[in-house]
């Protein structure tokens, strides 16, 4: 299913999230199962299925990583659940250094300041990768799609790091 078509939106990485939200509400209103309470069993089931599709599509298009994965899948490149190792040694070293910094946070004189510095670094890297991903997805070519797929893989590392950072932040506050 093409989620962009479902919402009648252009197939682009840079989406207007406000427009996406309003189209989501409009579709939800139109296909809500309550509207089909007096309909046939078949129509009620179709309404439930369509509502589930709308929810899945909205969830995917709303989040940049899932949106990029969907765009790549539409182009024939499925990477959503793959397990692939990296060949970029600089990126791997950077990830190892960030993980070491996270592991050593408790030993810092000012763990909150160190946490903030790491968070800034992660956000900066993620922002740069998202910009590069947006640019890579503009042109539809095998080479650009491969580049976009590699950027998605890298971004997944930063999103995982962000989640770990949030857990550590909660632990520091407790």
């Amino acid at each position: 299913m093409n989620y962009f078509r479902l919402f009648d939106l252009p197939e682009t990485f840079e989406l207007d999230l406000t427009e996406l939200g309003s189209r989501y509400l409009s579709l939800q209103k139109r296909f809500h199962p309550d509207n089909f309470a007096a309909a046939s069993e078949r129509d009620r089931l179709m309404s439930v299925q369509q509502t589930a599709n709308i929810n899945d599509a909205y969830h995917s298009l709303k989040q940049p990583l899932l949106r990029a994965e969907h765009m790549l899948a539409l182009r024939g490149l499925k990477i959503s659940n793959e397990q692939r190792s990296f060949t970029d040694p600089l990126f791997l070293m950077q990830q190892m250094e960030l993980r070491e910094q996270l592991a050593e946070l408790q030993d810092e004189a000012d763990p909150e300041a160190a946490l903030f510095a790491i968070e800034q670094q992660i956000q900066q890297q993620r922002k740069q990768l998202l910009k590069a991903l947006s640019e890579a997805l503009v042109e539809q070519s095998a080479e650009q799609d491969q580049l976009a797929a590699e950027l998605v893989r890298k971004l997944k590392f930063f999103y995982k790091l962000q989640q770990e950072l949030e857990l550590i932040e909660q632990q520091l506050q407790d």
Side-chain angles (χ1 to χ4, degrees), residues 108-150:
E108 292 288 331
D110 187 354
E112 289 180 5
L115 180 79
F116 181 75
I118 295 169
E119 187 171 26
Q120 295 296 96
Q121 187 177 357
I122 290 171
Q123 286 179 359
Q124 179 185 6
Q125 290 289 328
R126 199 170 65 195
K127 187 176 180 180
Q128 289 172 352
L129 287 170
L130 282 169
K131 183 179 186 295
L133 177 60
S134 177
E135 292 168 3
L137 287 169
V138 169
E139 181 185 331
Q140 290 190 29
S141 69
E143 184 178 302
Q144 287 298 101
D145 289 349
Q146 287 298 328
L147 172 61
E150 189 68 15

Side-chain angles (χ1 to χ4, degrees), residues 138-171:
V138 169
E139 181 185 331
Q140 290 190 29
S141 69
E143 184 178 302
Q144 287 298 101
D145 289 349
Q146 287 298 328
L147 172 61
E150 189 68 15
L151 291 166
V152 167
R153 292 179 193 109
K154 288 180 177 181
L155 274 163
K156 285 182 179 185
F157 271 95
F158 282 101
Y159 278 93
K160 286 179 188 173
L161 274 174
Q162 183 66 42
Q163 289 173 339
E164 290 176 34
L165 193 73
E166 289 168 6
L167 286 173
I168 292 169
E169 189 174 23
Q170 269 186 333
Q171 291 170 352

Side-chain angles (χ1 to χ4, degrees), residues 86-100:
F86 278 95
T87 56
D88 182 348
L90 291 175
F91 179 76
L92 291 173
M93 285 298 293
Q94 178 189 41
Q95 292 302 306
M96 287 172 44
E97 288 171 10
L98 284 168
R99 290 197 181 282
E100 284 176 18

Side-chain angles (χ1 to χ4, degrees), residues 9-88:
L9 292 169
E11 285 183 34
T12 180
F13 184 71
E14 297 297 327
L15 277 183
D16 179 347
L17 295 180
T18 303
E19 183 66 22
L20 174 65
S22 69
R23 290 180 189 220
Y24 167 73
L25 292 174
S26 174
L27 284 170
Q28 278 291 14
K29 187 184 228 182
R30 181 173 160 205
F31 290 102
H32 195 279
D34 288 349
N35 295 338
F36 296 85
S40 70
E41 180 70 19
R42 179 182 162 277
D43 287 346
R44 285 195 307 270
L45 288 173
M46 286 179 63
S47 165
V48 169
Q49 181 61 48
Q50 188 66 6
T51 300
N53 290 340
I54 293 165
N55 288 335
D56 289 344
Y58 179 70
H59 176 74
S60 291
L61 292 181
K62 187 176 162 187
Q63 298 180 32
L65 271 181
L66 295 177
R67 184 181 327 127
E69 286 182 356
H70 182 65
M71 289 179 74
L72 290 170
L74 291 173
R75 297 174 186 183
L77 231 166
K78 296 194 181 205
I79 62 169
S80 59
N81 290 317
E82 72 177 9
Q83 298 293 322
R84 180 184 269 195
S85 58
F86 278 95
T87 56
D88 182 348

